[in-house]
Amino acid sequence: MNLFQKLKPGIPKKGLFYIATAVWGFVSFRILSIGFDDIFENTSFYWIFLLAGVLLSIPFFKFFFLRISNKHIRRILNAKSERPCLFSFFDIKGYGIMAFMIALGIIAQKIRIVPLLYIGTFYISLGLSLFFSALHFLISGIRYKHMSICR
């Protein structure tokens, strides 16, 4: 066993699902908080924008985040190592997309080309989609034994 293998922070595959749940859950909480603040501070008709965010989250999750989550779940299940690296709940492309989205969110908040009310509505839909993805990872972690037998 080489030095890299000895120093690698490896954990059981099932643990990767819970780490992904925690990361996606934390990010969804942060994005939802910003979205709620942007909506509540900029209109008294907040319920319309909250409802729009909730309704938009469903196709956003189904057509974007569910595919990404499923890709990561399959990759984790098919990993050769039984103790993959702690950070391998995402692949390199996933980390790149996450960095891009964070940068885009910071820029959108700073430049304010789009009114905060609409950014808040988008953040509600994005945050809920991420929350649904976190639940998807959590369920996959709970069902890991069954899923690993069926693969």
Side-chain angles (χ1 to χ4, degrees):
M1 181 179 276
N2 65 24
L3 181 63
F4 177 73
Q5 290 296 327
K6 288 181 183 177
L7 297 176
K8 177 184 85 171
I11 63 167
K13 288 181 186 181
K14 184 175 183 174
L16 290 178
F17 292 113
Y18 298 124
I19 291 172
T21 298
V23 169
W24 288 51
F26 174 76
V27 172
S28 72
F29 172 76
R30 290 293 303 138
I31 290 173
L32 283 169
S33 335
I34 295 168
F36 286 133
D37 287 346
D38 286 350
I39 289 174
F40 287 125
E41 291 174 3
N42 292 291
T43 185
S44 57
F45 298 104
Y46 58 87
W47 59 273
I48 295 171
F49 295 94
L50 290 176
L51 181 62
V54 169
L55 293 176
L56 288 171
S57 71
I58 297 165
F60 201 35
F61 170 71
K62 183 177 179 183
F63 295 115
F64 187 65
F65 282 102
L66 183 60
R67 289 180 183 178
I68 291 172
S69 300
N70 283 334
K71 181 184 87 164
H72 289 301
I73 289 167
R74 278 191 305 275
R75 189 180 45 70
I76 292 168
L77 288 172
N78 295 323
K80 291 180 180 143
S81 174
E82 285 303 313
R83 292 184 61 85
C85 180
L86 170 71
F87 303 106
S88 64
F89 60 91
F90 277 166
D91 56 6
I92 296 294
K93 184 179 175 185
Y95 281 108
I97 290 171
M98 185 170 57
F100 175 75
M101 290 178 69
I102 290 169
L104 197 62
I106 292 169
I107 290 168
Q109 286 284 335
K110 298 294 180 193
I111 294 178
R112 296 195 182 190
I113 293 174
V114 178
L116 289 178
L117 190 56
Y118 300 120
I119 290 176
T121 304
F122 172 73
Y123 278 4
I124 296 296
S125 63
L126 177 63
L128 285 174
S129 300
L130 286 166
F131 178 73
F132 298 150
S133 293
L135 289 177
H136 189 50
F137 277 108
L138 178 63
I139 291 166
S140 297
I142 292 168
R143 297 187 64 226
Y144 173 75
K145 193 172 208 160
H146 174 73
M147 290 170 52
S148 61
I149 292 170
C150 294
R151 64 181 161 123

